[in-house]
Amino acid sequence: EFISSYYFNKMEYTRFSSSVGKYVGFTEYGVKNAEAWNKDASLLSGLRAQKETYCQHNIQIDYTAALTKS
């Protein structure tokens, strides 16, 4: 799962989660940002593609490294 979180004063206000596939707001400001960002289809598709770039690529590497150390 790819997660991109946004914080202000140690408080999370917005998060993109690849399992949800869109931004979710946790504060009033975060909800407004999430609504605006979720309207941008190119932004969402780019973030969904980052799951493939960062997560899928490293699954086998991390899995193998964990097994060799146990």
Side-chain angles (χ1 to χ4, degrees), residues 34-48:
E35 289 173 357
W37 296 340
N38 286 333
K39 291 179 183 176
D40 188 354
S42 63
L43 176 65
L44 291 177
S45 64
L47 286 167
R48 289 180 188 130

Side-chain angles (χ1 to χ4, degrees), residues 6 10 18-19 26 30 32 40 60 70:
Y6 299 87
K10 299 181 182 180
S18 65
S19 62
F26 299 106
K32 289 180 183 178
D40 188 354
Q60 187 61 40
S70 60

Side-chain angles (χ1 to χ4, degrees), residues 1 5 9-10 18-19 21 23 25 31 34-37 43-46 52 54-55 61 68-69:
E1 179 177 14
S5 298
N9 284 340
K10 299 181 182 180
S18 65
S19 62
Y23 284 98
V31 170
E35 289 173 357
W37 296 340
L43 176 65
L44 291 177
S45 64
E52 300 292 324
Y54 293 112
C55 301
I61 296 167
T68 58
K69 293 181 180 172

